Amino acid sequence: MNDETKNKINEIFITLLDLEQSAAQDLESLSTENYPKWDSIITVNLIIALESELGIEIDADDYEDMNSYLSVIETINKYLK
């Protein structure tokens, strides 16, 4: 994954989770378990935004595993290859 793609993903997280720009440094620790605002609606919006911004289609089987920033990155990497 190149820096431009990662920056797009970061911006999507920052926007959808209403994070401060300074929080971008802590994205790797972000998950549904430690960030109460990240609910199922946010997950759906996240998937829609990622698909739209990155020009990919994420398989529904992967949705459930997308419960942390790192798992989202891992999932996106599968589709960028």
Side-chain angles (χ1 to χ4, degrees):
M1 175 179 300
N2 63 37
D3 287 341
E4 180 182 349
T5 301
K6 193 158 188 179
N7 287 338
K8 287 179 182 180
I9 294 169
N10 290 353
E11 285 301 316
I12 290 168
F13 267 91
I14 289 167
T15 301
L16 289 178
L17 294 174
D18 198 27
L19 300 171
E20 299 290 328
Q21 282 289 339
S22 59
Q25 297 170 350
D26 298 327
L27 285 175
E28 290 189 1
S29 64
L30 194 63
S31 76
T32 55
E33 291 181 6
N34 65 17
Y35 196 76
K37 286 185 181 179
W38 185 350
D39 60 11
S40 59
I41 302 295
I42 294 290
T43 300
V44 169
N45 289 330
L46 179 64
I47 291 165
I48 292 168
L50 290 167
E51 289 179 332
S52 175
E53 187 66 33
L54 302 177
I56 60 174
E57 188 172 328
I58 300 168
D59 191 278
D61 291 339
D62 288 325
Y63 294 175
E64 196 172 312
D65 296 330
M66 297 175 70
N67 57 9
S68 71
Y69 174 82
L70 292 177
S71 66
V72 169
I73 295 293
E74 183 178 316
T75 300
I76 296 303
N77 273 326
K78 288 183 355 184
Y79 293 94
L80 294 177
K81 294 183 179 181

